[in-house]
Amino acid sequence: MSTMRSVPRRTAPVAVLASVAIALGGCGSDGGTTDTTSDARASATARWREHNRADVTFAQQMVPRHRQAIQMAEMARTHTSSTEIRAFAAKVERARTAELSTMCAWLEEWGEEIPRSAGGTGHRGHGHGREGHHGPRGMTHEERMRHLEGTRDAEFDRTFLAMMTERHQQAIHEARAVKSTGAHAATKALADTVISTQSAEIIRMKVMMGIS
């Protein structure tokens, strides 16, 4: 009796596979069905890869911004005595490195120029008074980075957090813009990630700076 009961359990999967094979055979026998499925998949892939100039501009702006953030995070390994900031910087470095690789791959696929420098856009800092909250007023990005490189411990922490917060705010602004003007689905998905992740990081940095 036990042998008789075990047979259906062993053969059931075979029966299921046979049914699937028959069903697939039926689909395959209709030449139009397979072609339609392939066309639908190709169309979906094309829509996913479709992009416009806004997508390219976003990636080309974000690539140097991410490189800057990575450079700043690398400085934190040796310039701060705060374990909290060091851990935060390491997390930022990992996240921005992965996103940087993705955007460079898109630009290469699209045949667009990949910015090679981590240099800034030439914008100058907007400090308050003679000394801003992230270095002397009117500094270019390169000057501010050199200033950051020359700081240590508490001064580094203040400058690092202020500069990183500013970079995050700029990135969020650009991410919101590409969600409205871009066409590339993956770029819009990354923009969502940038907005959510970096908004949360700004909140954390404000806490570390003692700003409620």
Side-chain angles (χ1 to χ4, degrees):
M1 295 296 290
S2 61
T3 303
M4 292 294 291
R5 286 195 300 271
S6 65
V7 170
R9 287 197 296 270
R10 289 197 302 269
T11 58
V14 176
V16 171
L17 290 174
S19 299
V20 172
I22 292 171
L24 291 175
C27 290
S29 64
D30 181 357
T33 304
T34 301
D35 291 343
T36 300
T37 301
S38 298
D39 290 345
R41 288 175 179 170
S43 178
T45 300
R47 286 196 301 272
W48 180 258
R49 291 180 175 176
E50 180 183 355
H51 69 282
N52 62 17
R53 179 48 52 183
D55 299 310
V56 173
T57 299
F58 173 76
Q60 289 178 330
Q61 290 177 336
M62 293 292 280
V63 163
R65 194 179 307 289
H66 275 45
R67 286 186 175 137
Q68 295 157 12
I70 292 168
Q71 286 182 349
M72 292 169 62
E74 289 172 344
M75 287 185 200
R77 299 175 190 171
T78 55
H79 287 46
T80 182
S81 56
S82 169
T83 55
E84 182 180 16
I85 289 181
R86 197 176 294 128
F88 173 77
K91 181 179 178 182
V92 168
E93 183 179 356
R94 288 192 299 271
R96 300 302 98 82
T97 298
E99 292 168 355
L100 174 63
S101 177
T102 296
M103 290 184 289
C104 285
W106 288 341
L107 290 170
E108 183 175 5
E109 178 184 343
W110 298 338
E112 300 287 349
E113 180 182 358
I114 300 174
R116 299 298 176 186
S117 171
T121 58
H123 294 169
R124 294 180 178 271
H126 300 287
H128 301 285
R130 183 175 179 180
E131 294 292 323
H133 60 278
H134 46 64
R137 185 178 183 178
M139 279 186 170
T140 63
H141 168 74
E142 290 77 10
E143 291 167 342
R144 291 162 66 193
M145 288 293 284
R146 286 195 294 270
H147 174 79
L148 180 65
E149 175 67 33
T151 62
R152 295 293 185 279
D153 299 327
E155 184 183 2
F156 173 85
D157 297 346
R158 288 191 300 270
T159 308
F160 169 83
L161 292 172
M163 287 179 63
M164 189 67 78
T165 297
E166 182 181 314
R167 308 223 75 70
H168 278 40
Q169 290 168 338
Q170 292 168 346
I172 291 170
H173 174 75
E174 290 166 6
R176 286 174 176 159
V178 81
K179 278 174 59 65
S180 299
T181 59
H184 190 231
T187 294
K188 292 187 177 186
L190 176 60
D192 283 330
T193 298
V194 167
I195 293 168
S196 61
T197 300
Q198 298 199 26
S199 293
E201 289 174 352
I202 287 174
I203 293 172
R204 184 177 176 188
M205 286 188 287
K206 285 184 176 180
V207 170
M208 288 190 282
M209 287 188 288
I211 302 174
S212 57

